């Protein structure tokens, strides 16, 4: 089963590379606008179908996110000469492929003017940038969570859901850190920071816009928020345009999350996730309205606002988000994959020890 899944995984990504090679050629020979959009649409449809060939939570889930969401949205921007795929006209095919599928950006290296020496001042850490020790600690915590799940029958279900929250957050950061290391080593590209300590959020606007899953925020802003905002500016005026733009963005995110969960479990959606994002979109609209109405110096204490924000996200997540996650048994299948990986590594380690023992006896 594992061998078949790995073969399908390789075939899917080979198909992705061939498809993006075709799109790379479109950028050179087909003018942007409707002609390029018509040429890109078949690839968008293909990228929606490819994840159906994978059943693994980790391989299938990450592949679906990278190609059905990120790559498709970037290709739609590319069709109109916008987005990261159009911002660097001299991209190589390899960098075009990486930029399309992963949340990465070209490293901007500033040239030193003639006559000036290189600065040796320490670089200011980027927002969301984490140290290797940070990822090591989170990796140990994920391993600890996996062991704790063995005793789930003796733990309150709410406590398990809290562990799932941190598990998903830590797991995403670790996976993206590995992708970052690979792309940096092979292509000299830098992965954009995806999380900025979301548990420190002081408002929903802070949580969704500046701290949680920033790659989704970065791709939804030019594809959904800005077009809706510009359209509504002409209809309802600049003061009110932000509200339908926010709601439209959350609706798009809701539908894409429903699709991601369908890839994970092949279970018919119950639309609870859609209601989760619509609820947060409406609450964010209320928050924006209150900020515009209340005096500028009116602010809740930072500790109180953090507790209220994170508490609201977790309570609504337990209510509307996690039921679909549990219904598609992503947690159970994910733990089975961890167990299979652990058994594989254990057998591989034993095999290496046996080879060394036999080699020492031969000598």
């Amino acid at each position: 089963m594992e061998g078949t899944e790995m073969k399908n995984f390789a075939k899917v990504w080979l198909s992705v590379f061939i498809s993006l090679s075709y799109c790379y050629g479109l950028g050179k020979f087909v003018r942007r606008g409707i002609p390029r959009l018509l040429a890109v649409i078949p690839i968008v449809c293909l990228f929606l179908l490819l994840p159906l060939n994978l059943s693994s939570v980790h391989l299938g889930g990450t592949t679906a996110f990278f190609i059905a969401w990120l790559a498709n949205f970037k290709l739609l921007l590319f069709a109109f000469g916008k987005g990261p795929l159009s911002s660097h006209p001299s991209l190589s095919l390899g960098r075009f492929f990486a930029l399309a599928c992963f949340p990465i950006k070209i490293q901007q290296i500033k040239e030193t003017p003639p006559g000036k020496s290189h600065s040796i001042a320490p670089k200011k850490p980027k927002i969301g940038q984490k140290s290797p020790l940070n990822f090591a600690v989170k990796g140990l915590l994920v391993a600890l969570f996996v062991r704790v799940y063995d005793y789930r029958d003796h733990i309150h279900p709410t406590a398990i859901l809290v562990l799932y929250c941190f598990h998903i957050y830590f797991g995403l950061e670790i996976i993206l850190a590995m992708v970052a290391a690979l792309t940096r080593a092979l292509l000299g590209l830098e992965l954009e920071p995806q999380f900025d300590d979301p548990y420190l959020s002081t408002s929903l606007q802070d949580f969704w816009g500046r701290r949680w899953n920033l790659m989704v925020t970065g791709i939804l802003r030019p594809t959904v928020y800005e077009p809706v905002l510009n359209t509504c500016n002409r209809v309802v005026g600049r003061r009110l345009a932000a509200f339908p733009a926010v709601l439209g963005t959350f609706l798009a995110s809701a539908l894409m999350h429903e699709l991601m969960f369908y890839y994970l479990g092949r279970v018919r959606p119950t639309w609870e996730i859609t209601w989760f994002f619509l609820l947060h979109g409406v609450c964010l609209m209320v928050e924006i309205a209150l900020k515009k109405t209340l005096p500028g110096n009116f602010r809740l204490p930072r500790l109180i606002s953090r507790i209220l924000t994170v508490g609201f996200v977790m309570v609504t997540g337990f209510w509307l988000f996690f039921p679909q996650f549990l219904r598609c048994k992503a947690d159970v299948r994910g733990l089975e994959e961890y167990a299979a990986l652990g058994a594989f590594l254990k057998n591989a380690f034993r095999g290496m020890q046996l080879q060394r023992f036999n080699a020492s006896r031969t000598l």
Side-chain angles (χ1 to χ4, degrees), residues 287-356:
E287 183 181 285
I288 293 172
L290 289 174
K291 287 181 178 179
K292 290 182 177 181
T293 304
L294 295 174
N297 59 354
F298 179 81
R299 291 288 185 272
L300 289 173
R302 191 171 293 271
L303 177 62
I304 300 299
S305 60
R306 282 175 179 167
I307 293 174
L308 291 175
T309 301
V310 176
F312 179 76
V313 172
M314 294 185 71
V315 169
T316 54
F318 295 164
W319 173 33
L320 294 171
F321 190 88
F322 278 103
Q324 183 69 6
F325 177 81
L326 299 175
R327 194 175 293 114
C328 69
K329 298 184 179 179
D331 56 332
V332 176
R333 291 161 51 217
L335 293 176
E336 290 174 351
E337 291 174 16
Y338 281 127
L341 177 62
F344 171 79
L345 294 176
K346 189 175 182 179
N347 291 334
F349 180 72
R350 285 180 176 176
M352 292 173 59
Q353 285 185 319
L354 183 60
Q355 286 182 349
R356 289 179 180 176

Coordinates of all heavy atoms in Angstrom, one line a residue, residues 287-356:
E287 N -15.6 43.8 14.0 CA -14.4 44.3 14.6 C -13.9 45.6 13.9 O -13.5 46.6 14.5 CB -13.3 43.2 14.7 CG -12.1 43.6 15.4 CD -11.0 42.5 15.3 OE1 -11.2 41.5 16.1 OE2 -10.1 42.6 14.6
I288 N -13.8 45.5 12.6 CA -13.4 46.7 11.8 C -14.3 47.9 12.0 O -13.8 49.0 12.1 CB -13.3 46.3 10.3 CG1 -12.2 45.2 10.1 CG2 -13.0 47.5 9.4 CD1 -12.2 44.6 8.7
A289 N -15.6 47.6 12.0 CA -16.6 48.7 12.2 C -16.4 49.3 13.6 O -16.4 50.6 13.7 CB -18.0 48.2 12.1
L290 N -16.1 48.5 14.6 CA -15.9 49.1 16.0 C -14.7 49.9 16.0 O -14.6 50.9 16.7 CB -15.9 47.9 17.0 CG -17.2 47.2 17.3 CD1 -17.0 46.0 18.2 CD2 -18.2 48.2 17.9
K291 N -13.6 49.4 15.4 CA -12.3 50.2 15.4 C -12.5 51.5 14.7 O -11.9 52.5 15.1 CB -11.3 49.4 14.7 CG -10.7 48.2 15.5 CD -9.6 47.4 14.8 CE -9.1 46.3 15.6 NZ -8.0 45.5 14.9
K292 N -13.4 51.6 13.7 CA -13.6 52.9 13.0 C -14.5 53.8 13.8 O -14.4 55.0 13.7 CB -14.3 52.6 11.6 CG -13.3 51.9 10.6 CD -14.0 51.8 9.3 CE -13.1 51.2 8.2 NZ -13.7 51.0 6.9
T293 N -15.4 53.2 14.7 CA -16.3 54.0 15.4 C -15.8 54.5 16.7 O -15.9 55.6 17.1 CB -17.6 53.1 15.7 OG1 -18.1 52.7 14.4 CG2 -18.6 54.0 16.4
L294 N -15.1 53.6 17.5 CA -14.6 53.9 18.8 C -13.4 54.9 18.7 O -12.7 54.9 17.7 CB -14.2 52.6 19.5 CG -15.3 51.7 19.8 CD1 -14.7 50.4 20.5 CD2 -16.3 52.3 20.8
P295 N -13.1 55.6 19.7 CA -11.9 56.5 19.7 C -10.7 55.7 19.5 O -10.5 54.6 19.9 CB -12.0 57.2 21.1 CG -13.4 57.0 21.6 CD -13.9 55.8 20.9
G296 N -9.7 56.4 18.9 CA -8.4 55.7 18.6 C -7.6 55.2 19.7 O -6.9 54.2 19.6
N297 N -7.8 55.9 20.9 CA -7.0 55.5 22.1 C -7.7 54.4 22.9 O -7.2 54.0 24.0 CB -6.7 56.7 22.9 CG -8.0 57.4 23.4 OD1 -9.1 57.0 23.0 ND2 -7.8 58.4 24.3
F298 N -8.9 53.9 22.4 CA -9.6 52.9 23.2 C -9.1 51.5 22.8 O -9.2 51.1 21.7 CB -11.1 53.0 22.9 CG -11.9 51.9 23.7 CD1 -12.2 52.1 25.0 CD2 -12.3 50.7 23.0 CE1 -13.0 51.1 25.7 CE2 -13.0 49.7 23.7 CZ -13.3 49.9 25.0
R299 N -8.4 50.8 23.7 CA -7.9 49.5 23.5 C -8.0 48.7 24.8 O -7.7 49.1 25.9 CB -6.4 49.6 23.1 CG -6.1 50.2 21.7 CD -6.5 49.2 20.6 NE -6.2 49.7 19.3 CZ -6.9 50.5 18.6 NH1 -8.1 51.0 19.1 NH2 -6.5 51.0 17.4
L300 N -8.4 47.4 24.6 CA -8.4 46.5 25.7 C -7.0 46.2 26.1 O -6.1 46.2 25.3 CB -9.1 45.2 25.3 CG -10.7 45.3 25.2 CD1 -11.2 43.9 24.6 CD2 -11.3 45.6 26.5
P301 N -6.8 45.9 27.4 CA -5.4 45.4 27.8 C -5.0 44.2 26.9 O -5.8 43.4 26.5 CB -5.6 45.0 29.2 CG -6.8 45.8 29.7 CD -7.7 45.9 28.5
R302 N -3.7 44.2 26.6 CA -3.2 43.2 25.6 C -3.5 41.8 26.1 O -3.9 40.9 25.3 CB -1.7 43.4 25.4 CG -1.1 42.6 24.3 CD 0.3 43.0 24.0 NE 0.4 44.4 23.5 CZ 0.3 44.7 22.2 NH1 0.2 43.8 21.3 NH2 0.4 46.0 21.9
L303 N -3.3 41.5 27.4 CA -3.6 40.2 27.9 C -5.0 39.8 27.7 O -5.3 38.6 27.3 CB -3.2 40.1 29.4 CG -3.4 38.7 30.1 CD1 -2.6 37.6 29.4 CD2 -3.1 38.8 31.6
I304 N -5.9 40.7 28.0 CA -7.4 40.4 27.8 C -7.7 40.1 26.4 O -8.5 39.2 26.1 CB -8.2 41.5 28.4 CG1 -7.9 41.7 29.9 CG2 -9.7 41.3 28.2 CD1 -8.2 40.5 30.8
S305 N -7.2 41.0 25.5 CA -7.5 40.8 24.1 C -7.0 39.5 23.5 O -7.6 38.9 22.7 CB -7.0 42.0 23.3 OG -5.6 42.1 23.4
R306 N -5.8 39.1 24.0 CA -5.3 37.8 23.6 C -6.1 36.7 24.0 O -6.4 35.7 23.2 CB -3.8 37.7 24.1 CG -2.8 38.5 23.3 CD -1.4 38.4 23.9 NE -0.5 39.1 23.2 CZ 0.8 39.4 23.6 NH1 1.2 39.0 24.8 NH2 1.6 40.1 22.8
I307 N -6.5 36.7 25.3 CA -7.4 35.6 25.8 C -8.7 35.5 25.0 O -9.2 34.4 24.6 CB -7.6 35.8 27.3 CG1 -6.3 35.6 28.1 CG2 -8.7 34.8 27.8 CD1 -6.4 36.0 29.6
L308 N -9.3 36.7 24.8 CA -10.6 36.7 24.1 C -10.4 36.2 22.6 O -11.3 35.4 22.1 CB -11.2 38.1 24.1 CG -11.7 38.7 25.4 CD1 -12.1 40.1 25.3 CD2 -12.8 37.8 25.9
T309 N -9.4 36.6 21.9 CA -9.2 36.3 20.5 C -8.9 34.8 20.4 O -9.6 34.1 19.6 CB -8.0 37.1 19.9 OG1 -8.3 38.5 20.0 CG2 -7.8 36.7 18.5
V310 N -7.9 34.3 21.1 CA -7.5 32.9 21.0 C -8.6 32.0 21.5 O -8.9 30.9 20.9 CB -6.2 32.6 21.8 CG1 -5.9 31.1 21.7 CG2 -5.1 33.4 21.2
G311 N -9.3 32.4 22.6 CA -10.4 31.7 23.1 C -11.6 31.6 22.1 O -12.2 30.5 21.9
F312 N -11.9 32.7 21.4 CA -12.9 32.7 20.4 C -12.6 31.7 19.2 O -13.4 31.0 18.7 CB -13.2 34.1 19.9 CG -14.2 34.2 18.8 CD1 -15.6 34.1 19.1 CD2 -13.9 34.3 17.5 CE1 -16.5 34.2 18.1 CE2 -14.8 34.4 16.5 CZ -16.2 34.3 16.8
V313 N -11.3 31.8 18.8 CA -10.9 30.9 17.7 C -11.0 29.5 18.1 O -11.5 28.6 17.3 CB -9.4 31.3 17.2 CG1 -8.9 30.3 16.2 CG2 -9.4 32.7 16.6
M314 N -10.6 29.1 19.3 CA -10.6 27.7 19.7 C -12.0 27.2 19.9 O -12.3 26.1 19.5 CB -9.7 27.6 20.9 CG -8.2 27.8 20.7 SD -7.2 27.5 22.2 CE -7.3 25.7 22.2
V315 N -12.8 28.0 20.6 CA -14.2 27.6 20.8 C -15.0 27.4 19.5 O -15.6 26.3 19.3 CB -14.9 28.6 21.7 CG1 -16.4 28.3 21.8 CG2 -14.3 28.5 23.2
T316 N -14.9 28.3 18.6 CA -15.6 28.2 17.3 C -15.0 27.0 16.5 O -15.7 26.4 15.7 CB -15.5 29.5 16.5 OG1 -14.2 29.9 16.4 CG2 -16.4 30.5 17.2
G317 N -13.6 26.8 16.7 CA -13.0 25.7 16.0 C -13.5 24.4 16.5 O -13.8 23.5 15.7
F318 N -13.6 24.2 17.8 CA -14.2 23.0 18.4 C -15.6 22.8 17.9 O -16.0 21.6 17.7 CB -14.2 23.0 19.9 CG -12.8 23.1 20.5 CD1 -12.6 23.5 21.8 CD2 -11.6 22.8 19.8 CE1 -11.3 23.5 22.4 CE2 -10.4 22.8 20.3 CZ -10.2 23.2 21.6
W319 N -16.3 23.8 17.8 CA -17.8 23.8 17.4 C -18.0 23.4 15.9 O -18.8 22.6 15.6 CB -18.4 25.1 17.8 CG -19.9 25.2 17.4 CD1 -20.8 24.2 17.3 CD2 -20.5 26.4 17.0 NE1 -22.0 24.8 16.8 CE2 -21.8 26.1 16.7 CE3 -20.1 27.8 16.9 CZ2 -22.7 27.1 16.2 CZ3 -21.0 28.7 16.5 CH2 -22.3 28.4 16.2
L320 N -17.2 24.1 15.0 CA -17.6 24.0 13.6 C -16.4 23.4 12.8 O -16.7 22.9 11.7 CB -17.9 25.4 13.1 CG -19.2 26.0 13.6 CD1 -19.3 27.5 13.2 CD2 -20.4 25.3 13.2
F321 N -15.2 23.6 13.2 CA -14.1 23.2 12.3 C -13.7 21.7 12.5 O -13.6 21.0 11.5 CB -12.9 24.1 12.5 CG -11.7 23.9 11.6 CD1 -11.7 24.6 10.4 CD2 -10.7 23.0 11.8 CE1 -10.7 24.5 9.4 CE2 -9.7 22.9 10.9 CZ -9.7 23.6 9.7
F322 N -13.5 21.3 13.8 CA -12.9 20.0 14.0 C -13.9 18.8 13.8 O -13.5 17.7 13.5 CB -12.4 19.9 15.4 CG -11.0 20.5 15.6 CD1 -10.8 21.7 16.1 CD2 -9.9 19.8 15.1 CE1 -9.5 22.3 16.2 CE2 -8.6 20.3 15.2 CZ -8.4 21.5 15.7
P323 N -15.2 19.0 13.9 CA -16.1 17.9 13.6 C -15.9 17.3 12.2 O -15.9 16.1 12.0 CB -17.5 18.5 13.7 CG -17.4 19.6 14.7 CD -16.0 20.2 14.4
Q324 N -15.6 18.1 11.2 CA -15.4 17.6 9.8 C -14.0 16.9 9.8 O -13.8 15.9 9.1 CB -15.4 18.7 8.8 CG -15.2 18.3 7.4 CD -16.4 17.4 6.8 OE1 -17.4 17.3 7.5 NE2 -16.3 16.9 5.6
F325 N -13.0 17.5 10.5 CA -11.7 16.9 10.6 C -11.8 15.5 11.2 O -11.1 14.5 10.8 CB -10.8 17.8 11.5 CG -9.4 17.3 11.8 CD1 -8.4 17.5 10.8 CD2 -9.1 16.6 13.0 CE1 -7.2 17.0 11.1 CE2 -7.9 16.2 13.2 CZ -6.9 16.3 12.2
L326 N -12.6 15.3 12.3 CA -12.8 14.0 12.9 C -13.6 13.1 12.0 O -13.4 11.9 12.0 CB -13.4 14.2 14.3 CG -12.6 15.0 15.3 CD1 -13.4 15.2 16.6 CD2 -11.2 14.4 15.6
R327 N -14.6 13.7 11.3 CA -15.5 12.8 10.5 C -14.8 12.1 9.4 O -15.1 11.0 9.0 CB -16.6 13.7 10.0 CG -17.8 12.9 9.4 CD -18.9 13.9 9.0 NE -19.5 14.5 10.1 CZ -19.4 15.8 10.4 NH1 -18.8 16.6 9.5 NH2 -20.0 16.3 11.5
C328 N -13.8 12.8 8.8 CA -13.0 12.2 7.7 C -11.8 11.3 8.3 O -11.0 10.8 7.5 CB -12.5 13.2 6.8 SG -11.2 14.3 7.4
K329 N -11.8 11.2 9.6 CA -10.8 10.4 10.3 C -9.4 10.7 10.0 O -8.5 9.9 9.9 CB -11.1 8.9 10.0 CG -12.4 8.4 10.5 CD -12.6 6.9 10.2 CE -13.9 6.4 10.8 NZ -14.2 5.0 10.5
A330 N -9.1 12.0 9.8 CA -7.8 12.5 9.5 C -6.8 12.2 10.6 O -5.7 12.0 10.4 CB -7.8 14.0 9.1
D331 N -7.4 12.3 11.9 CA -6.5 12.1 13.0 C -6.1 10.7 13.1 O -4.9 10.4 13.3 CB -7.3 12.5 14.3 CG -8.6 11.8 14.5 OD1 -9.2 11.4 13.5 OD2 -9.0 11.6 15.6
V332 N -7.0 9.7 12.9 CA -6.7 8.3 13.0 C -5.7 7.9 11.9 O -4.7 7.2 12.2 CB -8.0 7.5 13.0 CG1 -7.7 6.0 13.0 CG2 -8.9 7.8 14.1
R333 N -6.0 8.3 10.7 CA -5.1 7.9 9.6 C -3.8 8.6 9.7 O -2.8 8.0 9.4 CB -5.8 8.3 8.3 CG -7.1 7.5 8.0 CD -8.0 8.1 7.0 NE -7.3 8.5 5.8 CZ -7.5 9.6 5.1 NH1 -8.5 10.4 5.5 NH2 -6.9 9.9 4.0
G334 N -3.8 9.8 10.2 CA -2.5 10.5 10.4 C -1.6 9.7 11.4 O -0.4 9.6 11.2
L335 N -2.2 9.3 12.5 CA -1.5 8.5 13.5 C -1.0 7.2 13.0 O 0.1 6.7 13.3 CB -2.3 8.3 14.8 CG -2.7 9.6 15.6 CD1 -3.6 9.2 16.7 CD2 -1.4 10.2 16.1
E336 N -1.8 6.5 12.1 CA -1.4 5.3 11.5 C -0.2 5.5 10.6 O 0.7 4.7 10.5 CB -2.5 4.7 10.6 CG -3.7 4.2 11.5 CD -4.9 3.7 10.7 OE1 -4.9 4.0 9.4 OE2 -5.8 3.1 11.2
E337 N -0.1 6.7 9.9 CA 1.0 7.0 9.1 C 2.3 7.3 9.9 O 3.4 6.9 9.5 CB 0.7 8.2 8.2 CG -0.4 7.9 7.1 CD -0.8 9.1 6.3 OE1 -0.1 10.1 6.4 OE2 -1.8 9.0 5.6
Y338 N 2.1 7.9 11.0 CA 3.2 8.1 12.0 C 3.8 6.8 12.4 O 5.0 6.6 12.5 CB 2.8 8.9 13.2 CG 2.7 10.4 13.0 CD1 1.5 11.1 13.3 CD2 3.8 11.1 12.4 CE1 1.4 12.5 13.1 CE2 3.7 12.5 12.3 CZ 2.5 13.2 12.6 OH 2.4 14.5 12.4
A339 N 2.8 5.8 12.7 CA 3.3 4.5 13.2 C 4.0 3.8 12.1 O 5.0 3.1 12.3 CB 2.0 3.7 13.7
A340 N 3.5 3.9 10.9 CA 4.1 3.2 9.7 C 5.5 3.8 9.5 O 6.5 3.0 9.2 CB 3.3 3.3 8.5
L341 N 5.7 5.1 9.6 CA 7.0 5.7 9.4 C 7.9 5.3 10.5 O 9.1 5.0 10.2 CB 6.8 7.2 9.4 CG 8.1 8.1 9.3 CD1 8.8 7.7 7.9 CD2 7.8 9.6 9.4
G342 N 7.4 5.3 11.7 CA 8.3 4.9 12.8 C 8.7 3.4 12.7 O 9.9 3.1 12.9
A343 N 7.8 2.5 12.2 CA 8.2 1.1 12.0 C 9.3 1.0 10.9 O 10.2 0.2 11.0 CB 7.0 0.3 11.7
F344 N 9.1 1.8 9.8 CA 10.0 1.8 8.7 C 11.4 2.2 9.2 O 12.4 1.6 8.9 CB 9.5 2.7 7.6 CG 10.5 2.9 6.5 CD1 10.7 1.9 5.5 CD2 11.3 4.1 6.4 CE1 11.7 2.1 4.5 CE2 12.2 4.3 5.4 CZ 12.4 3.3 4.4
L345 N 11.5 3.3 9.9 CA 12.8 3.8 10.4 C 13.4 2.9 11.4 O 14.6 2.7 11.3 CB 12.6 5.2 11.1 CG 12.1 6.3 10.1 CD1 11.9 7.6 11.0 CD2 13.2 6.6 9.1
K346 N 12.6 2.2 12.2 CA 13.1 1.2 13.2 C 13.7 0.1 12.4 O 14.8 -0.4 12.8 CB 12.0 0.8 14.1 CG 12.4 0.0 15.3 CD 11.3 -0.3 16.2 CE 11.7 -1.1 17.4 NZ 10.6 -1.4 18.4
N347 N 13.0 -0.4 11.4 CA 13.5 -1.6 10.7 C 14.8 -1.2 9.9 O 15.7 -2.0 9.8 CB 12.5 -2.1 9.7 CG 11.3 -2.7 10.4 OD1 11.5 -3.2 11.5 ND2 10.1 -2.7 9.8
A348 N 14.8 0.0 9.4 CA 16.0 0.5 8.6 C 17.2 0.6 9.6 O 18.3 0.2 9.2 CB 15.7 1.8 8.0
F349 N 17.0 1.1 10.8 CA 18.0 1.2 11.7 C 18.6 -0.2 12.1 O 19.8 -0.4 12.2 CB 17.6 2.0 13.0 CG 18.6 2.1 14.0 CD1 19.7 3.0 13.8 CD2 18.5 1.4 15.2 CE1 20.6 3.2 14.8 CE2 19.5 1.6 16.2 CZ 20.5 2.5 16.0
R350 N 17.6 -1.1 12.4 CA 18.1 -2.5 12.7 C 18.8 -3.1 11.6 O 19.8 -3.9 11.8 CB 16.8 -3.3 13.0 CG 16.2 -3.0 14.4 CD 15.0 -3.9 14.6 NE 14.5 -3.7 16.0 CZ 13.3 -4.3 16.4 NH1 12.6 -5.1 15.6 NH2 12.9 -4.0 17.6
G351 N 18.4 -2.9 10.3 CA 19.1 -3.4 9.2 C 20.5 -2.9 9.1 O 21.5 -3.6 8.8
M352 N 20.7 -1.6 9.4 CA 22.0 -1.0 9.3 C 22.9 -1.6 10.4 O 24.1 -1.9 10.2 CB 21.9 0.5 9.5 CG 21.3 1.2 8.3 SD 21.0 3.0 8.7 CE 22.7 3.5 9.0
Q353 N 22.3 -1.8 11.6 CA 23.1 -2.4 12.7 C 23.5 -3.9 12.3 O 24.6 -4.3 12.6 CB 22.3 -2.4 14.0 CG 22.2 -1.1 14.7 CD 21.4 -1.2 16.0 OE1 20.4 -1.9 16.1 NE2 21.9 -0.5 17.0
L354 N 22.6 -4.6 11.7 CA 22.9 -6.0 11.3 C 24.0 -6.0 10.3 O 24.9 -6.9 10.3 CB 21.6 -6.6 10.8 CG 21.7 -8.1 10.4 CD1 22.1 -9.0 11.6 CD2 20.4 -8.6 9.8
Q355 N 24.0 -5.1 9.3 CA 25.0 -5.0 8.3 C 26.4 -4.8 8.9 O 27.4 -5.4 8.6 CB 24.7 -4.0 7.3 CG 23.6 -4.4 6.3 CD 23.3 -3.3 5.3 OE1 23.8 -2.2 5.4 NE2 22.5 -3.7 4.3
R356 N 26.4 -3.8 9.9 CA 27.7 -3.5 10.6 C 28.2 -4.7 11.4 O 29.4 -5.0 11.4 CB 27.5 -2.3 11.5 CG 27.3 -1.0 10.8 CD 27.1 0.2 11.8 NE 26.9 1.4 11.1 CZ 26.6 2.6 11.7 NH1 26.5 2.6 13.1 NH2 26.4 3.7 11.1

